[in-house]
Amino acid sequence: LGERVRPSDGRDELGRLGATLNDMLDRIDRAFVATRRFTGDAAHELKTPVASIRAEAEVALISRRPADEYEATLRSIVEEADRLARLSERLLLLSREDLGAFAELPRQPVRLDELVRATAADAAELARRAGVELRVEALPASFVEADPVLLRQVFENLIENAVKYTPSSGAVTVRGRAQGDGAVVEVIDTGIGIPAEALPRIFDRFYRVDPSRSRRTGGTGLGLSIARALAERHGGSIEADSRPGAGSTFRVVLPALRTGGPA
Ligand code: ADP
């Protein structure tokens, strides 16, 4: 974007000043590009639910209909508004990531096993309605240094996806173990799986293996990109294995605080 200072010799005082200035300009450029990308992403994703809320409300206003049809319309508007709220929440999380503000968030020792268990418990109703068995297996006690709300978002996204992409009578298993200096949590499903060629892209923003299916299931293509960004900001990582038709495994690795928890 911007012009750069061209120092003739990087070793003298003026050269060092030039290099510092260039570094600052690079950082401003990156922030600018990230902000522009975020604004574009946000506008793109918010447009559709807003348009459909408006269309449904407008039709209801101009036509006389039986009470039960009004009720159905209102219910659908509420669902769309809920989706919009979830989406805004996620976009906000992403914007915090983009602007690098995450580094300033206070972190505290968090019991990883308790956090994962609570997240799974919250998804129980979703799983029940989908006819998917959700079980939590061994989760050894471990502490991580985290923002509990944001770390929870990682597991919420993975568990919701596992349920969403698993047909009824399938199963989702959550389990953990210690690994080296850290902890591993796996979310394993017996769902539709992910084709090998799509696997490297599922963590990209707005990427969906099957957009029409994802639209029906209320997908945004943002969940995994947020989950990965948040895991990385906690010093961890996420990877996925999958066999189409057999299921997927998402593995989160986080550095443990220290054995036995905070002193
Ligand atoms: P979405 O809101 O579409 O679920 P995500 O970023 O969470 O967006 O996931 C991106 C895509 O990865 C999904 O659209 C889906 O195609 C695929 N995916 C994610 N999790 C799973 C899973 N557990 N099983 C099968 N496919 C999955």
Side-chain angles (χ1 to χ4, degrees), residues 6-245:
R6 280 180 222 283
S8 53
D9 179 356
R11 274 166 304 178
D12 63 17
E13 188 114 356
L14 206 59
R16 280 196 299 276
L17 201 64
T20 308
L21 196 61
N22 282 345
D23 186 50
M24 272 172 55
L25 289 170
D26 281 345
R27 277 195 281 170
I28 291 168
D29 275 2
R30 279 201 300 276
F32 186 72
V33 168
T35 308
R36 201 169 48 189
R37 186 178 67 166
F38 171 73
T39 314
D41 286 355
H44 169 268
E45 274 303 295
L46 296 177
K47 239 164 56 184
T48 314
V50 170
S52 81
I53 287 172
R54 190 179 192 288
E56 287 190 76
E58 197 165 33
V59 171
L61 268 179
I62 58 176
S63 62
R64 279 183 188 284
R65 317 190 206 177
D68 58 335
E69 277 185 32
Y70 279 119
E71 204 183 309
T73 302
L74 285 177
R75 196 168 299 127
S76 162
I77 287 175
V78 168
E79 267 168 31
E80 278 295 308
D82 280 348
R83 187 169 119 72
L84 197 55
R86 280 200 304 275
L87 193 56
S88 309
E89 237 169 67
R90 293 179 159 195
L91 287 168
L92 263 174
L93 274 179
L94 275 181
S95 78
R96 284 209 253 166
E97 283 293 295
D98 279 347
L99 302 177
F102 189 92
E104 287 139 41
L105 283 177
R107 300 208 202 171
Q108 64 195 70
V110 171
R111 269 285 292 268
L112 181 63
D113 51 313
E114 286 175 3
L115 180 136
V116 172
R117 226 176 266 286
T119 313
D122 275 356
E125 176 57 19
L126 186 77
R128 199 193 55 76
R129 267 186 279 136
V132 170
E133 189 195 344
L134 174 59
R135 50 186 178 228
V136 181
E137 290 184 351
L139 270 176
S142 58
F143 281 88
V144 291
E145 201 177 342
D147 174 317
V149 175
L150 292 182
L151 187 60
R152 199 187 165 107
Q153 194 78 24
V154 173
F155 298 106
E156 202 177 286
N157 285 344
L158 295 183
I159 295 171
E160 276 181 15
N161 275 352
V163 170
K164 202 162 70 177
Y165 297 107
T166 298
S168 69
S169 79
V172 171
T173 306
V174 181
R175 67 179 185 207
R177 61 175 189 275
Q179 177 181 284
D181 286 336
V184 181
V185 177
E186 290 176 328
V187 179
I188 305 157
D189 68 60
T190 62
I192 60 171
I194 300 157
E197 67 275 12
L199 209 49
R201 300 200 53 202
I202 54 169
F203 292 97
D204 293 351
R205 288 169 167 220
F206 297 119
Y207 180 78
R208 302 159 179 150
V209 175
D210 175 355
S212 61
R213 185 196 158 88
S214 291
R215 181 69 64 190
R216 278 202 307 283
T217 52
T220 60
L222 285 173
L224 287 181
S225 71
I226 294 169
R228 171 169 274 178
L230 291 177
E232 286 174 355
R233 287 310 189 102
H234 284 91
S237 61
I238 303 186
E239 50 186 69
D241 286 329
S242 188
R243 277 199 301 137

